[in-house]
Amino acid sequence: MRIEVNGEPREVTSETLAQALAELGWAGARVATALNGVFVPKGARAQTALTNGDRLEVLAPMQGG
């Protein structure tokens, strides 16, 4: 299916957000996720289904002052 990841179109075969993160290389990363503008906590990713056209934002924490 085709989804948008951080503003870029991507093709994924995953059915859930957790599977998509693994497929996209973020399996073990500490990231925050939002699907279609709604925050998705880590514990809900495995149950969060993806559909064609979804917009996924993946944000990694940054250090700085």
Side-chain angles (χ1 to χ4, degrees), residues 1-2 4 7 12-13 15-16 18-21 28 32-33 39-40 42 46-47 55 58 62-65:
M1 86 179 73
R2 189 171 194 88
E4 185 177 294
V12 295
T13 60
E15 295 181 5
T16 68
Q19 292 170 343
L21 289 174
T33 55
F39 172 74
V40 180
K42 182 178 180 180
Q47 295 82 29
R55 294 178 339 268
V58 182
M62 297 177 67
Q63 291 182 329

Side-chain angles (χ1 to χ4, degrees), residues 2 5 7 9 11-12 15 18-21 24 46 48 50 52 60:
R2 189 171 194 88
V5 180
E11 286 287 332
V12 295
E15 295 181 5
Q19 292 170 343
L21 289 174
L24 295 167
T48 302
L50 296 177
N52 197 47

Side-chain angles (χ1 to χ4, degrees), residues 3-8 10 12 17-33 42 45 56-61:
I3 63 172
E4 185 177 294
V5 180
N6 293 342
E8 298 292 325
R10 298 289 298 264
V12 295
L17 178 52
Q19 292 170 343
L21 289 174
E23 182 177 341
L24 295 167
W26 284 303
R30 297 184 97 158
V31 294
T33 55
K42 182 178 180 180
R45 293 175 187 165
L56 173 61
E57 293 292 327
V58 182
L59 304 169

